[in-house]
Amino acid sequence: MTVAQDPSEDEARAELDAHLARRNGKGVGRTAADFALTRLHLLDVSITRYVEQRTQEIRHEPGDVDLADRPVYDVLRDHELGPDERPVDEPLELVRRGTVHPRSCDCENGRRQCPDCNGMTYRTCEPAQPCPVCEGVSPCSQYLKHGGLPGAPPRPPKARRKAANIEERVSCDACHTPDSACPGCRGWGRARCERCQARGRIPCKPCKATGTVTCETCRGHGRTTSWTAGRIVWERRTEEVTHPDPWPRRVANGLGAGDWRTDRLGAGDPLPEDLSDDHRAVLAPHLRKLKDEQDRTVVIKRLTVVRATPRGSGNRDYYLFRGCSKELEVLARISDEGRDKAVAAAVAAVVLLILVLLLFK
């Protein structure tokens, strides 16, 4: 079936004659009469469906949740949407009647005992660490009297830097023997822990030494709200449909500039009256309603391309279609015969080159 924008045969031949005259010169070479014209009725259809999904679940949220602006339902599958409710861009959230229950959290006013320190506000630490110089192996050379003097320091000394000479010794703090002790620990064998400064404890970081942390259940509110939440969403599903006949691949990139006839249909709208029986048969299997389909948008685009092929021998085909300016566009492409000739010529050139190389080797 011919549609309003289809170029007539006389119009197509006149435009092809004008193109050939500009290319070859008037009265030179082929004319439109030397070409056979065939029509390609291209079809490009996009079908966007909106398929409904309904789900419900029990929700728990911290604090007091304001649900006053959400629609209320009794049975989710029976809930009717309002005329302005189209849950396409974002879901429609609902509340089941009689299921909203505010509750007090079982924590202590939004706080729970810190699991890292068990509420002690600190974590235990070893007050002394092995000496960084002697590593606790040889703190003092006087093994028999080492540590026997009263009044020894109550805690290990602060760690000293490693001695420049590993053999250097100093007076021992425990036995007071000159030149007998490690310079790092002065005979102790251990040095004061730098983290706790020999106190045996360090502040708990997760709770900031308070012994409690924010309750994860109520997030510090001390209360929670639970309800049965319903959700309705229209999932967007898009399907592309094209004519089963192949498009002219050689000019496919240029067809975007064509004056495609576009029809936009909603659910229940009839197909365009001037749509061909062939195109109707292509579309029919794709227009069946899906389960839970609520709405659809069908965009039908059509373009007629006239292909001019030379009668007899010829190296070029021409494709004519109406452009966005409503004028006919002409695209020249190499024909199958021209491509075969180009391939044959390339093969012949390669063979000739090989023969020349063999002769002068």
Side-chain angles (χ1 to χ4, degrees), residues 278-342:
D278 187 23
H279 286 175
R280 289 176 184 271
V282 170
L283 276 177
H286 301 275
L287 295 179
R288 298 189 182 98
K289 188 175 181 178
L290 300 182
K291 180 183 178 182
D292 296 326
E293 180 181 334
Q294 302 299 316
D295 199 1
R296 68 170 59 176
T297 300
V298 182
V299 179
I300 302 175
K301 299 173 66 177
R302 291 171 286 165
L303 180 68
T304 298
V305 178
V306 179
R307 180 181 180 182
T309 55
R311 293 188 174 96
S313 179
N315 297 332
R316 284 180 174 270
D317 291 339
Y318 295 90
Y319 297 85
L320 298 90
F321 57 90
R322 201 171 299 282
C324 295
S325 64
K326 310 300 181 182
E327 301 295 331
L328 284 183
E329 304 283 345
V330 182
L331 299 179
R333 295 293 186 269
I334 187 170
S335 63
D336 292 339
E337 180 183 350
R339 182 187 58 187
D340 293 341
K341 288 180 179 179

Side-chain angles (χ1 to χ4, degrees), residues 39-112:
R39 291 178 180 271
L40 306 173
H41 298 290
L42 307 186
L43 177 69
D44 185 11
V45 180
S46 173
I47 305 173
T48 301
R49 293 181 171 87
Y50 302 95
V51 181
E52 185 178 84
Q53 292 183 348
R54 298 192 176 201
T55 58
Q56 71 175 14
E57 63 178 354
I58 298 177
R59 291 187 185 175
H60 305 276
E61 294 290 341
D64 296 321
V65 182
D66 185 8
L67 303 172
D69 60 338
R70 300 190 183 186
V72 178
Y73 71 94
D74 295 303
V75 180
L76 185 59
R77 66 173 178 271
D78 298 333
H79 180 77
E80 295 184 3
L81 295 176
D84 298 329
E85 293 177 335
R86 287 174 54 87
V88 176
D89 297 325
E90 58 182 20
L92 177 64
E93 302 288 349
L94 306 97
V95 178
R96 187 175 181 180
R97 193 186 310 276
T99 63
V100 181
H101 299 293
R103 293 185 176 89
S104 296
C105 185
D106 60 357
C107 64
E108 296 182 4
N109 197 28
R111 307 285 295 181
R112 289 187 184 273

Side-chain angles (χ1 to χ4, degrees), residues 103-357:
R103 293 185 176 89
S104 296
C105 185
D106 60 357
C107 64
E108 296 182 4
N109 197 28
R111 307 285 295 181
R112 289 187 184 273
Q113 179 177 288
C114 175
D116 287 80
C117 67
N118 294 323
M120 299 297 291
T121 72
Y122 63 86
R123 302 174 70 177
T124 58
C125 179
E126 185 65 33
Q129 305 293 334
C131 171
V133 178
C134 67
E135 299 180 352
V137 177
S138 57
C140 181
S141 60
Q142 304 299 314
Y143 304 108
L144 296 179
K145 60 180 181 179
H146 178 65
L149 293 178
R155 60 178 182 173
K158 185 177 180 181
R160 293 175 171 84
R161 294 181 180 180
K162 194 169 184 178
N165 182 3
I166 196 64
E167 302 298 331
E168 178 187 352
R169 309 299 282 183
V170 297
S171 295
C172 178
D173 285 349
C175 65
H176 295 176
T177 304
D179 301 325
S180 63
C182 166
C185 61
R186 304 187 67 85
W188 273 83
R190 299 173 71 81
R192 189 182 307 173
C193 174
E194 294 183 358
R195 296 180 63 194
C196 69
Q197 296 301 315
R199 295 184 181 92
R201 61 177 63 178
I202 55 176
C204 179
K205 288 186 177 180
C207 68
K208 298 180 181 178
T210 62
T212 61
V213 293
T214 301
C215 175
E216 294 183 357
T217 302
C218 67
R219 298 179 188 173
H221 293 278
R223 303 174 305 282
T224 61
T225 303
S226 64
W227 74 96
T228 300
R231 168 177 284 201
I232 302 176
V233 61
W234 286 5
E235 180 186 356
R236 184 186 283 107
R237 301 180 186 177
T238 301
E239 178 185 5
E240 303 292 337
V241 182
T242 57
H243 195 281
D245 293 338
W247 285 24
R249 178 174 52 84
R250 293 169 187 167
V251 293
N253 292 336
L255 295 179
D259 182 25
W260 290 80
R261 175 165 183 175
T262 303
D263 297 283
R264 186 178 295 272
L265 311 177
D269 291 340
L271 293 175
E273 294 183 359
D274 59 356
L275 191 66
S276 68
D277 293 338
D278 187 23
H279 286 175
R280 289 176 184 271
V282 170
L283 276 177
H286 301 275
L287 295 179
R288 298 189 182 98
K289 188 175 181 178
L290 300 182
K291 180 183 178 182
D292 296 326
E293 180 181 334
Q294 302 299 316
D295 199 1
R296 68 170 59 176
T297 300
V298 182
V299 179
I300 302 175
K301 299 173 66 177
R302 291 171 286 165
L303 180 68
T304 298
V305 178
V306 179
R307 180 181 180 182
T309 55
R311 293 188 174 96
S313 179
N315 297 332
R316 284 180 174 270
D317 291 339
Y318 295 90
Y319 297 85
L320 298 90
F321 57 90
R322 201 171 299 282
C324 295
S325 64
K326 310 300 181 182
E327 301 295 331
L328 284 183
E329 304 283 345
V330 182
L331 299 179
R333 295 293 186 269
I334 187 170
S335 63
D336 292 339
E337 180 183 350
R339 182 187 58 187
D340 293 341
K341 288 180 179 179
V343 171
V347 171
V350 172
V351 171
L352 179 60
L353 178 61
I354 293 174
L355 291 176
V356 170
L357 293 175

